[in-house]
Amino acid sequence: MSAHTYKKLEIVGSSATSIEEAINNAVAKAAESVRNIRWVEVMETRCHVEDQKVAYFQVTCKIGFTLD
């Protein structure tokens, strides 16, 4: 395995369904413009509440990718 140099970017994903889907949405959106994504760190989890119920989930992620 060769040595890699990584860069991290921070992105927030959201979903009305689940935390897992919010993470997947964040990664999918980042993948539209970022190549070589290797990993994701979930830094924060939040929920937006409406009418005393969780309306949607938000996750702040750091996405790591290798540089060309």
Side-chain angles (χ1 to χ4, degrees), residues 7 9-11 25-37 63-68:
K7 182 164 180 69
L9 65 91
E10 188 170 281
I11 191 167
N25 290 343
V27 172
K29 190 63 175 178
E32 291 178 10
S33 58
V34 176
R35 295 185 310 273
N36 304 319
I37 294 175
I63 294 176
F65 57 98
T66 53
L67 299 173
D68 290 335

Side-chain angles (χ1 to χ4, degrees), residues 1-6 66-67:
M1 179 178 181
S2 62
H4 293 287
T5 300
Y6 295 90
T66 53
L67 299 173

Side-chain angles (χ1 to χ4, degrees), residues 40-54:
V40 60
E41 293 177 64
V42 176
M43 307 304 293
E44 292 182 316
T45 305
R46 288 179 298 286
C47 300
H48 179 74
V49 176
E50 293 177 1
D51 298 323
Q52 305 305 312
K53 295 180 183 177
V54 173

